Amino acid sequence: MQAVTEGDRRREVKILLDRIRAHPERDWSEARRRIATLNKLIVAPPRAHTH
């Protein structure tokens, strides 16, 4: 399994925002929730792995 990086999250946010801007007439509720979640993950400090 490949780790998801902050860069991956930022790219996904950009893609979602581009889609919203391109088609503002659509219902983007799910995308907006995903963006909010991604933004929280981006600003949160990385968690240490405990074994």
Side-chain angles (χ1 to χ4, degrees), residues 5-50:
T5 66
E6 183 176 328
D8 294 330
R9 292 179 179 129
R10 290 183 186 278
R11 277 189 290 281
E12 185 177 351
V13 168
K14 183 185 180 317
I15 289 166
L16 291 170
L17 289 173
D18 288 346
R19 288 179 183 170
I20 290 170
R21 286 186 196 110
H23 298 282
E25 72 283 359
R26 294 184 185 170
D27 178 14
W28 292 105
S29 302
E30 285 293 318
R32 291 181 191 282
R33 281 193 286 278
R34 179 68 179 155
I35 290 168
T37 300
L38 289 167
N39 282 333
K40 287 178 188 174
L41 292 170
I42 290 168
V43 297
R47 294 184 293 164
H49 293 292
T50 54

